[in-house]
Amino acid sequence: MNNDIEVSVRGPNSYALAQDALKLMEEHGVWPTPLNYEIWLYVAGDPQCALAQEVLRLVASGEKITEEISDSLASKFIARLKLNDEVRDAGLKLSKELHTITEVISDVQSSQKSYSTTLESARQSLNLADAGVLKNLVDNLSAATNVVLDHHQSLQTRLSDSSREINRLRKHLDQVRMEAMTDALTNLANRKAFDEQLDKQCEGDDVSKPLTLAVIDIDHFKRFNDTWGHQTGDQVLRYVASVLARIGRPPALAARYGGEEFGMLFPGQTATEVARILDEARQEISTRVLKRRSTNEDLGTVSISVGLAQREFAEDPFDLMDRADKALYLSKNNGRNMVTVAESTQVKDFNVA
């Protein structure tokens, strides 16, 4: 949650903001889940932010804010907002550390300049030296040397402390970025991470190394949720995610794209190769009898539908995703629980012998 909203939530107007958010949710028929509440706090408290603007655009177009849409909005906007806040805070701390280092270095430079002046004065005094002058000269040089040594020791200590703090902040930023790119429920990559990787993989026109994109959807998941509840539905999401994670090890990428939909990227593999891999996963998922953890009650089975597309020459991410989505639609339209491969001019079913 960004700083402005957090201040409002924790400030004297917190109850009013909460009431405004809940009122807006009620007006638009949005269930008061924790995720929805966080989203609508942005709408009520910062209507000009990107997340609020997107929500208002959807509402104005007559779109119903479903759980799937809320999940997609959170994945796209809230993770980014949290990442921006963390990056800004870490940046301020880094700036403070660099300022400290600059001050210490300036102090040492000043000390060295003073030491040089003392040495020059000593050099000139040697020409007039007698015993008393030499003693004072040695005393002054000794004192000046001690000052320089003290400043150098201070510099070394401060630089060491700052180096440790900067390394800590760097590791923290790495951790924050990883969390911002990870789906909290399934531990797969989230939509933001998937979209970034897809854009990266589609840079340039070279298709000598194949790239295959897969879109996977759990069949009749809403009905399963309505029958068994969201907690059990979450268990199903985690189970399917675990199967996809196993076959989506680097350089492949498995991500939860939103709701019950997953996306996968397979650099270096053709659609035919990926279709065989995902058809095996489809069979594994559809033949496993699921049980409710709390009661060991049989929940039956679930299945997945899959659409695949292999990138063509100069094809951009949007068109590649669109072809995979159309292939997924055919899988669902033709009875679900199947893998369909999209080609450049036609879409055909993939059946494993």
Side-chain angles (χ1 to χ4, degrees):
M1 186 169 294
N2 68 29
N3 289 344
D4 293 338
I5 298 296
E6 188 165 357
V7 168
S8 298
V9 169
R10 300 177 186 277
N13 298 322
S14 57
Y15 287 107
L17 178 61
Q19 289 173 353
D20 289 344
L22 290 171
K23 182 179 179 181
L24 286 170
M25 292 167 68
E26 184 177 6
E27 287 177 359
H28 297 289
V30 178
W31 287 102
T33 64
L35 177 58
N36 284 336
Y37 179 65
E38 182 172 5
I39 289 172
W40 285 83
L41 276 176
Y42 281 99
V43 179
D46 188 9
Q48 298 305 314
C49 75
L51 171 56
Q53 288 292 302
E54 179 63 12
V55 172
L56 295 173
R57 185 192 68 78
L58 291 170
V59 169
S61 68
E63 187 85 40
K64 183 175 176 59
I65 307 299
T66 63
E67 182 180 354
E68 290 76 15
I69 289 178
S70 293
D71 198 54
S72 177
L73 288 169
S75 176
K76 183 176 181 181
F77 291 100
I78 293 180
R80 185 188 308 163
L81 290 167
K82 290 179 178 177
L83 177 61
N84 288 343
D85 288 343
E86 293 279 2
V87 169
R88 184 180 62 251
D89 291 343
L92 290 173
K93 291 177 181 177
L94 282 170
S95 178
K96 182 179 179 181
E97 288 300 321
L98 292 174
H99 180 68
T100 298
I101 292 172
T102 301
E103 285 185 334
V104 173
I105 291 175
S106 176
D107 193 23
V108 170
Q109 288 174 336
S110 176
S111 174
Q112 288 176 330
K113 183 177 180 180
S114 176
Y115 186 57
S116 297
T117 301
T118 301
L119 287 177
E120 176 60 23
S121 176
R123 186 187 65 78
Q124 294 175 4
S125 297
L126 284 174
N127 296 327
L128 306 173
D130 58 26
V133 171
L134 285 174
K135 182 179 184 304
N136 289 334
L137 191 60
V138 170
D139 289 343
N140 289 338
L141 288 175
S142 177
T145 300
N146 287 334
V147 169
V148 170
L149 289 175
D150 287 344
H151 278 87
H152 274 287
Q153 181 61 44
S154 175
L155 174 63
Q156 185 176 358
T157 300
R158 298 289 289 277
L159 286 176
S160 179
D161 291 343
S162 292
S163 178
R164 283 194 295 270
E165 177 63 11
I166 289 171
N167 283 333
R168 187 192 69 78
L169 290 170
R170 179 181 55 78
K171 291 178 181 178
H172 176 62
L173 283 174
D174 289 343
Q175 179 66 25
V176 167
R177 177 169 174 78
M178 184 183 73
E179 291 175 357
M181 305 290 272
T182 302
D183 177 66
L185 178 65
T186 63
N187 282 326
L188 295 180
N190 61 16
R191 179 172 181 168
K192 177 178 174 60
F194 182 86
D195 287 343
E196 284 190 5
Q197 188 63 23
L198 176 59
D199 288 343
K200 181 179 179 181
Q201 291 292 336
C202 288
E203 290 176 353
D205 299 334
D206 184 18
V207 289
S208 60
K209 293 182 179 179
L211 170 68
T212 299
L213 184 153
V215 183
I216 302 107
D217 195 82
I218 302 176
D219 297 326
H220 302 299
F221 184 72
K222 184 179 185 303
R223 187 169 66 191
F224 189 94
N225 256 354
D226 292 342
T227 302
W228 299 105
H230 290 285
Q231 288 188 336
T232 304
D234 287 348
Q235 292 178 22
V236 172
L237 287 170
R238 283 191 286 265
Y239 164 62
V240 172
S242 70
V243 175
L244 300 182
R246 191 175 69 244
I247 62 176
R249 294 191 178 98
L253 174 71
R256 184 183 177 203
Y257 205 69
E260 69 272 24
E261 187 171 271
F262 299 86
M264 298 190 73
L265 292 173
F266 294 87
Q269 292 183 279
T270 66
T272 300
E273 293 169 333
V274 172
R276 293 188 181 279
I277 294 170
L278 283 174
D279 199 69
E280 290 176 1
R282 178 195 63 78
Q283 293 180 57
E284 176 184 344
I285 290 169
S286 64
T287 55
R288 175 171 175 174
V289 177
L290 304 175
K291 293 182 180 292
R292 176 176 279 178
R293 288 181 180 176
S294 57
T295 63
N296 207 35
E297 180 181 4
D298 282 348
L299 304 175
T301 60
V302 295
S303 62
I304 59 172
S305 295
V306 182
L308 300 178
Q310 182 175 329
R311 187 180 181 230
E312 299 177 342
F313 177 76
E315 188 172 26
D316 64 30
F318 179 85
D319 290 337
L320 179 60
M321 176 66 81
D322 184 60
R323 288 198 299 122
D325 274 334
K326 288 177 179 176
L328 173 64
Y329 174 79
L330 285 180
S331 285
K332 288 183 168 294
N333 199 44
N334 290 333
R336 305 176 191 268
N337 192 22
M338 66 174 61
V339 177
T340 301
V341 179
E343 294 188 346
S344 56
T345 57
Q346 61 181 354
V347 181
K348 65 180 182 180
D349 288 343
F350 179 87
N351 296 309
V352 176

